[in-house]
Amino acid sequence: MDAVLKTKLSNIKHVALDMDGTIYLSNTLFPFTVPFLEGLGNIGVSHSFLTNNPTKSLDAYLDKLHGMGIDAVPEQMYTTTIAMIDYIRSHYPDAKRLFLLGTESMQSQFEAAGFEQSTDDPDDVPDIVVASFDMTLVYPRLCRAAWWVSQGIPYLATNPDRVCPTDQRTILVDCGSICKCIEYATGRKPDVTLGKPDPNMLLNILEQKGLEPAEIAMVGDRIYTDIAMARNAGAFGVLVLSGETSLEMAESASERPDLIVENIAEFGRLLAESRK
């Protein structure tokens, strides 16, 4: 390890972890994840989990992690659903009724936050249209969302991801692709797209923990979300090759990560070595 990299790694006090493709793939936990997290604790580095996937509520994500043997508390979890709720409260304080393209679990998070759902009815006008990664999407609701978007209703998206990583022989069409469908039908893009690479989730961690950008590492498997988010927040960006991005893709990218590793196990070893 060269001296410059060792210095940068030795300054890291917190690791923000992408989830799918980084600590697990779909429902399969990587065998090195729990030892990696234990290793962070051994060297005094805290961690949190960030995900662009809004399909699950906060409690559902915590249940998933606990079921995989990962101890996590609500304060360690940041999802785009939480970010969207905070954004709407801040920028549209009078908004109450939402037309949501999202899973039942995601919808329950909004309802728990006090929002109501607009029905698939041309007379039930929503205050805002929210598009997300909707694995339960049906054609009539997609058409209704496009109609409201065409009528100038505020239009927000939870995340820009084109696809969701999976270990199955299929392509999971994500929020970015759903928004492209609506754009092609209406000529309109979302007014705001949250989630990585938007830096707000990472900036919230910095503020809560009183850290400088150079003291946090953003670790993920995508250059256009995870690494771009690190760059936008001024953090240290670590690309793992355990998910969407191959080494060839990484080497040909216009924006290079600060560090490329095979997986978080390799990153953990480098972090530990930087302390010696």
Side-chain angles (χ1 to χ4, degrees):
M1 187 189 319
D2 65 61
V4 174
L5 177 59
K6 182 174 183 179
T7 298
K8 289 182 177 180
L9 291 177
S10 66
N11 288 332
I12 291 173
K13 298 178 180 178
H14 185 87
V15 173
L17 292 159
D18 170 56
M19 297 175 69
D20 210 341
T22 301
I23 65 172
Y24 57 69
L25 193 60
S26 291
N27 293 309
T28 303
L29 184 71
F30 292 132
F32 43 74
T33 296
V34 172
F36 167 77
L37 297 176
E38 291 173 348
L40 291 182
N42 291 337
I43 60 174
V45 175
S46 58
H47 67 275
S48 56
F49 303 101
L50 278 68
T51 178
N52 266 12
N53 189 331
T55 59
K56 295 180 175 63
S57 66
L58 177 61
D59 287 342
Y61 267 118
L62 290 173
D63 287 344
K64 179 173 182 174
L65 291 177
H66 293 161
M68 290 180 166
I70 297 175
D71 292 328
V73 296
E75 292 73 25
Q76 290 178 297
M77 179 64 63
Y78 299 86
T79 72
T80 49
T81 300
I82 296 171
M84 180 61 73
I85 289 170
D86 290 342
Y87 184 88
I88 292 174
R89 284 172 169 167
S90 175
H91 293 80
Y92 299 92
D94 297 327
K96 185 70 173 178
R97 294 188 66 76
L98 310 177
F99 190 85
L100 299 171
L101 292 183
T103 63
E104 184 176 343
S105 184
M106 175 261 206
Q107 293 172 18
S108 70
Q109 189 88 35
F110 279 92
E111 290 172 351
F115 293 100
E116 300 172 354
Q117 289 203 61
S118 174
T119 59
D120 184 5
D121 183 329
D123 295 320
D124 189 1
V125 183
D127 297 313
I128 298 173
V129 175
V130 177
S132 74
F133 176 25
D134 187 1
M135 295 184 293
T136 61
L137 182 63
V138 293
Y139 187 69
R141 288 191 62 79
L142 177 63
C143 294
R144 183 62 59 204
W147 167 250
W148 291 130
V149 168
S150 74
Q151 299 305 296
I153 300 293
Y155 171 34
L156 311 176
T158 56
N159 59 293
D161 304 61
R162 298 185 292 268
V163 299
C164 180
T166 180
D167 55 1
Q168 304 299 309
R169 290 183 293 179
T170 188
I171 290 179
L172 299 180
V173 175
D174 209 326
C175 181
S177 297
I178 293 173
C179 291
K180 276 294 181 183
C181 178
I182 294 174
E183 179 187 347
Y184 198 70
T186 67
R188 186 178 169 197
K189 297 179 180 180
D191 304 329
V192 171
T193 300
L194 298 181
K196 300 171 285 186
D198 184 279
N200 279 316
M201 287 193 289
L202 211 52
L203 294 176
N204 284 340
I205 295 174
L206 290 173
E207 182 178 353
Q208 289 175 11
K209 296 188 174 296
L211 298 175
E212 296 297 323
E215 295 176 323
I216 189 169
M218 178 63 221
V219 184
D221 67 310
R222 293 176 173 180
I223 292 176
Y224 68 95
T225 56
D226 302 307
I227 303 307
M229 181 191 204
R231 182 177 66 251
N232 292 339
F236 187 82
V238 181
L239 179 73
V240 292
L241 303 178
S242 51
E244 179 179 308
T245 306
S246 66
L247 182 59
E248 293 74 21
M249 293 166 62
E251 290 179 338
S252 63
S254 58
E255 296 288 346
R256 295 294 299 273
D258 295 295
L259 179 65
I260 301 174
V261 292
E262 190 68 27
N263 50 50
I264 53 174
E266 182 181 351
F267 177 52
R269 287 193 295 270
L270 293 174
L271 273 180
E273 288 177 15
S274 74
R275 267 64 179 172
K276 296 179 181 178

